[in-house]
Each structure stands twice: as C-alpha cells, then as structure tokens.
Amino acid sequence: MSNKIIIANWKSHKTVHEVKEWIEAFVATAPRVQDAASQMQVLIAPSFPYLSEVQSAVASLHNVAVAAQDVSQFPLGAYTGAVAAQQLASLKIQYCLVGHSERRKYFGETHQTVAQKVELLLDQGITPIVCVDEAEISEQASLIASDQRKRVIVAYEPVSAVGTGIGQDLAQVKLVVASIRTEFGPIPVLYGGSVDERNVAEYVLASDGVLVGGDSLDEHDFMQLLETLHSS
Ligand code: PGA
C-alpha cells in the first residue's frame, strides 16, 4: 500500500502518562511496517501539550510525523488560549487539521474561520488538512483562494460516520472523493469515520488515506491497522 496518508487523531484524549505508553509501544513496533521502503506516511495528531514530546519520540522513524489538531484563526498576538500557526511552525510542525466536525459543532467554527486558518497555515509552510462533510464541500472551497485550494489535503468526514462505528458506504466515499477533486483540484483526499482494521484496506483504495479516531487510541489496535495496510 504505497503513498497513503494514515492519521491517528487522538482528539482530546490521553494524559501525559498515556501518551508515553502509546509512544513507547509504537516506537518499538512501528519499524516492522514503517521500514525504509514504506511509502505510507503516518501522522500522529495529539493535543497541543504533547506535540513536541511525540515529535521527538518519532523523529527517528521513517515517514512518521506529527500533526496539530487545530490552529488559531489569528496570527501571533494578544489572543489568550490560542495557538498560532507561527508557533506551530516554530516547532517544525508540518501538518494541521482544520474544520473537524467536532470543532464546527462544539466550538462554533465556520467555513470562514476555517478559510482564515488555511491561509495562516500555508503562509507558514504548514499543510492544512481540511475536514468537510459532503454538504460543506462547495461552500468551504469557495471561501479558500484558488491558489490555496491546490495546496491543501481534504478529509471527507461524514458526521454520520464519525465516532459511530458505522463507516460510510464505499461507493458513496468514491463519489464524494471525486466531487472534492472537482472543487479543489488534484489534491490528496482522505476519508475519516469509523475506520478500523477490518475496513481500512477498502477505504484506502477509495481515497488517498484515512483519518482514524477511536481505533488509534489503543497502540495495539493502531499497529494492527498499519499491519493490515502493510500486507494488503
Ligand atoms: P472515528 O473518528 O474514527 O472515531 O470515527 C474519525 C475522526 O473524527 O477523524
């Protein structure tokens, strides 16, 4: 399975102790699948306080990096509690999720704020991973400048499938991936929503990779998923 992007999205889970345990087990076992020949890119998306720790723990692994789960829609400055794109860039973070359905639902994030975040991230050389449900594709795309649309990764995340244990129908995933490419151009398009070791091989055939929430929380489950891909 080559050139696929696999993202472990931990959301707001894990204490520092749990992060250490996950990472220790992952670093010990990941080289089995992430060998020098592997084209699979694995991204781990922890909460902000753990970015540096996870980043240095995986630094020696082939094609493994960290992603932030969110970024401020403002630049550096007097915005208490916010984490600016410049701060992520200064940590050498290369990827950042934006517009996840949980951000839209619980934190009032709009298409406009997502577009602002995309611009700030790209200005810092960070690749935004823009999460959208099907109904949001056109409006979200229209608010992102056309030269910027070509430089993002988009994740198709149907709200009906996120965290429900019921993944989206494969034929539908293929249709939506195609319509995302129509709006954004020939960019990588991922799928996210109840991905696990049993369905991951099919979803990566229909897309350029997957965002894994629940099944990435346990290090053994996540390694199992990577091994399934490695051998498929
Ligand atoms: P899930 O989450 O795998 O638990 O459905 C996916 C996501 O929210 O990215």
Side-chain angles (χ1 to χ4, degrees):
M1 203 52 75
S2 62
N3 295 319
K4 300 293 180 180
I5 301 168
I6 316 299
I7 306 178
N9 177 14
W10 290 350
K11 310 190 178 187
S12 197
H13 290 284
K14 295 195 185 296
T15 60
V16 68
H17 178 68
E18 288 162 346
V19 168
K20 278 192 175 61
E21 275 185 357
W22 194 104
I23 284 295
E24 258 170 44
F26 182 76
V27 169
T29 49
R32 276 213 305 267
V33 290
Q34 285 303 89
D35 52 28
S38 173
Q39 300 293 314
M40 195 160 70
Q41 171 78 52
V42 177
L43 300 179
I44 301 167
S47 303
F48 287 130
Y50 311 133
L51 281 171
S52 285
E53 176 158 1
V54 176
Q55 188 177 42
S56 36
V58 302
S60 62
L61 297 177
H62 180 69
N63 274 356
V64 181
V66 299
Q69 296 177 12
D70 184 38
V71 67
S72 173
Q73 70 266 40
F74 301 108
L76 287 174
Y79 305 101
T80 301
V83 175
Q86 288 96 322
Q87 295 175 313
L88 295 180
S90 72
L91 292 172
K92 305 209 175 342
I93 303 298
Q94 291 173 306
Y95 299 89
C96 181
L97 300 176
V98 286
H100 190 282
S101 56
E102 289 149 12
R103 300 287 322 165
R104 295 178 192 263
K105 178 175 174 190
Y106 299 116
F107 299 89
E109 197 149 309
T110 64
H111 298 309
Q112 188 60 54
T113 51
V114 170
Q116 284 169 246
K117 292 176 180 197
V118 165
E119 180 166 12
L120 289 165
L121 288 169
L122 288 172
D123 281 350
Q124 295 301 317
I126 299 171
T127 302
I129 300 162
V130 184
C131 303
V132 283
D133 199 349
E134 192 178 346
E136 298 168 334
I137 298 169
S138 301
E139 202 185 337
Q140 186 62 79
S142 72
L143 290 169
I144 300 173
S146 60
D147 61 311
Q148 294 172 17
R149 283 204 289 269
K150 301 187 192 101
R151 295 161 61 204
V152 305
I153 295 172
V154 171
Y156 166 43
E157 293 233 317
V159 171
S160 60
V162 171
T164 60
I166 306 163
Q168 180 62 293
D169 176 64
L170 212 53
Q172 184 64 13
V173 173
K174 287 183 188 158
L175 282 176
V176 177
V177 166
S179 75
I180 289 172
R181 292 222 177 86
T182 308
E183 295 281 352
F184 281 81
I187 53 155
V189 182
L190 315 181
Y191 166 75
S194 298
V195 175
D196 60 27
E197 116 198 39
R198 286 161 301 163
N199 59 27
V200 67
E202 290 185 323
Y203 283 128
V204 296
L205 284 178
S207 67
D208 297 304
V210 286
L211 250 146
V212 187
D215 212 50
S216 74
L217 293 179
D218 179 280
E219 59 273 24
H220 306 292
D221 290 344
F222 189 63
M223 270 310 298
Q224 190 59 51
L225 183 145
L226 294 182
E227 283 181 17
T228 303
L229 286 178
H230 187 63
S231 55
S232 63

